[in-house]
Amino acid sequence: MKLSLNEIETTSKSALLRHGAVDWVATEVAAAIREAEGLGNKICGLYYLESYCQQLKTGRVKGDADPEVTRPRAGTVLVDAKYGFAQAAFARALPEALKAVEEAGVASLAVCHAHTCTSLGYFTAQIARAGYIALGMTNATPVVAPPGGKHRVIGTNPISFAVPDGKGGVAMLFDQSTTTVALGKITMAKAAGQSIPEGWAVDAEGQPTTDPEAALKGSLVSMGGYKGWGFGLMAEFLASGMTGSLAGVDIGPLKAPEGEPHDIGDYYLIMDPATSGAFFDRLAQVETAVARDAEARIPGQGRQVADPVDIEDSVLQSVRALAGQ
């Protein structure tokens, strides 16, 4: 069924309010769901709403948390999410982070003790639209073993990079897990009774598998082997170590209704492209070079927001039930 983004946003907000989120927090989370659905990022859209609502009811995420922003150094901004939603904590801290980068040229924003942020690109794109370069990373439940090993150590640990176009828009945006595929694609394949391609995961004995159930009992594969493993570790050390949040090995299953709060860290480096005076000239050079090939593109270019979007009947029924409709 087709559903408008406005209806997705308002229904999501109603569901969040009904399960215990305060108004401004529900507004921030619903806006993120809206964008994910509009961009076709189903894993980070309505797919997560039921989990949000369940965890609001059990207290695993604090729907009334009041994030606290501090600035211990000129170029350092911290926001304690207090076990609430990352979307709300980021919104509270962003104005101070933008002041910091304007003053220092480079700044960091550490989102501490938060619920899963779902889509890092949602946040780095906001920084780029404000005129700054953003590099973001987060950690998650351990589902990845080291290459050659079978014991889980880190999560899918996404990394996102966004570049402003100098006109209030985004010239480049990528948001990807440091594994070959996001965990959500495997859980969705299991729910649909489908197999997964070889190379996505290994089973509990470290052997390649196309069975999503075996994959969920085993480990995901780092993209590019040791290269992806290195990026995943980088994200782990920064997201946990620079925020004081949990290391991946201590984070429980993200969608489990009950349990301890996620206590995840998100870490952003924010850079002013005006520092060198040459950034946008170099950006234009690269864009021109890429455009020589008709099918080539810079990541994030040409992204189209769909409105309305197709929503599966079962998902729609679940969302409306959560909203009490």
Side-chain angles (χ1 to χ4, degrees), residues 138-197:
T138 189
N139 63 346
T141 308
V143 292
V144 181
K150 63 180 182 180
H151 295 100
R152 298 172 169 188
V153 178
I154 62 174
T156 54
N157 291 13
I159 296 174
S160 179
F161 183 65
V163 172
D165 63 5
K167 305 170 187 175
V170 181
M172 173 179 172
L173 173 64
F174 74 76
D175 178 7
Q176 61 188 53
S177 64
T178 52
T179 49
T180 300
V181 68
L183 179 63
K185 290 193 175 181
I186 294 179
T187 58
M188 291 174 80
K190 178 185 175 183
Q194 300 171 345
S195 62
I196 60 174

Side-chain angles (χ1 to χ4, degrees), residues 32-95:
I33 292 171
R34 173 196 177 111
E35 179 169 298
E37 288 292 339
L39 293 171
N41 184 3
K42 300 292 184 182
I43 294 172
C44 296
L46 293 172
Y47 173 74
Y48 250 98
L49 184 60
E50 182 179 18
S51 174
Y52 290 156
C53 291
Q54 289 175 336
Q55 293 176 3
L56 280 166
K57 293 293 284 186
T58 63
R60 195 169 182 215
V61 59
K62 311 303 180 186
D64 59 352
D66 188 23
E68 181 180 0
V69 181
T70 56
R71 193 165 161 188
R73 288 183 172 180
T76 304
V77 177
L78 306 177
V79 56
D80 184 349
K82 298 184 178 180
Y83 308 121
F85 286 102
Q87 295 89 338
F90 182 90
R92 178 68 62 82
L94 183 59

Side-chain angles (χ1 to χ4, degrees), residues 279-293:
F279 184 85
F280 290 110
D281 288 340
R282 300 299 178 267
L283 173 62
Q285 281 184 280
V286 175
E287 287 178 325
T288 299
V290 171
R292 290 180 298 184
D293 295 312

Side-chain angles (χ1 to χ4, degrees), residues 4-14 16 22-39 41 44-46 49 52 85-88 90-91 117-119 121-123 126 129 303 305:
S4 73
L5 294 184
N6 281 342
E7 188 171 356
I8 287 171
E9 185 173 8
T10 56
T11 306
S12 296
K13 180 176 177 178
S14 295
L16 294 163
V22 296
D23 188 85
W24 81 273
V25 171
T27 296
E28 294 296 339
V29 178
I33 292 171
R34 173 196 177 111
E35 179 169 298
E37 288 292 339
L39 293 171
N41 184 3
C44 296
L46 293 172
L49 184 60
Y52 290 156
F85 286 102
Q87 295 89 338
F90 182 90
C117 70
T118 59
S119 173
Y122 176 71
F123 306 97
Q126 291 181 57
R129 286 193 291 268
R303 291 202 312 170
V305 176

Side-chain angles (χ1 to χ4, degrees), residues 108-122:
S108 66
L109 169 57
V111 179
C112 317
H113 314 303
H115 197 260
T116 177
C117 70
T118 59
S119 173
L120 268 175
Y122 176 71

